[in-house]
């Protein structure tokens, strides 16, 4: 039983490491603001078009940053959930043998 739990813990750590290597992005205003994050929801980069920045007011910039950030986080969440569901199926399949012993 402890072997199965240890394997599940190892699998979770592998997933976390893999999610750190997957990049997702969110954009606002057709790419004028772009946010890049990992699938673990860590923001890595924010890019703002210099021409847009010179003409934008504070409220507009803040609003568009929120839009781009939320898009990146939503994409990261989707990938994370998909990875966890796949791992859960693998783990549950392995645990099935635990109860049949």
């Amino acid at each position: 039983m402890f072997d199965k739990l240890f394997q599940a813990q190892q699998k979770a750590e592998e997933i976390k490491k893999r999610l750190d290597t997957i990049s997702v992005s969110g954009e606002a205003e057709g790419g004028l603001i772009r946010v890049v994050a990992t699938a673990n929801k860590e923001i890595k980069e924010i890019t703002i078009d210099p021409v847009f920045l010179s003409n934008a007011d504070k409220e507009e910039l803040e609003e568009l940053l929120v839009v781009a950030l939320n898009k990146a986080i939503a994409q990261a969440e989707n990938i994370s959930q998909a990875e966890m569901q796949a791992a859960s199926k693998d783990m549950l399949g392995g645990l099935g043998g635990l109860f049949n012993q």
Side-chain angles (χ1 to χ4, degrees):
M1 180 172 166
F2 289 111
D3 284 345
K4 299 288 183 189
L5 293 176
F6 181 70
Q7 288 173 355
Q9 184 179 14
Q10 280 186 316
K11 186 73 168 174
E13 289 174 19
E14 288 172 18
I15 291 169
K16 184 180 180 335
K17 286 179 185 176
R18 186 168 52 244
L19 293 175
D20 280 336
T21 66
I22 298 172
S23 290
V24 297
S25 65
E27 295 182 351
E29 287 297 305
L32 294 178
I33 295 179
R34 185 169 189 258
V35 174
V36 177
T38 69
N40 271 328
K41 301 175 200 127
E42 181 181 343
I43 304 301
K44 291 295 194 177
E45 179 183 328
I46 296 175
T47 307
I48 303 171
D49 180 87
V51 175
F52 169 75
L53 182 60
S54 66
N55 295 321
D57 62 18
K58 180 181 181 287
E59 290 79 22
E60 181 181 21
L61 179 59
E62 290 171 343
E63 185 178 305
L64 294 176
L65 270 170
V66 168
V67 168
L69 285 162
N70 283 332
K71 285 181 179 180
I73 290 170
Q75 194 175 31
E77 182 64 27
N78 289 339
I79 290 172
S80 179
Q81 282 182 359
E83 289 284 333
M84 294 305 264
Q85 285 175 349
S88 293
K89 284 182 183 179
D90 289 345
M91 285 187 275
L92 289 176
L95 291 175
L98 188 75
F99 299 108
N100 294 331
Q101 294 178 350

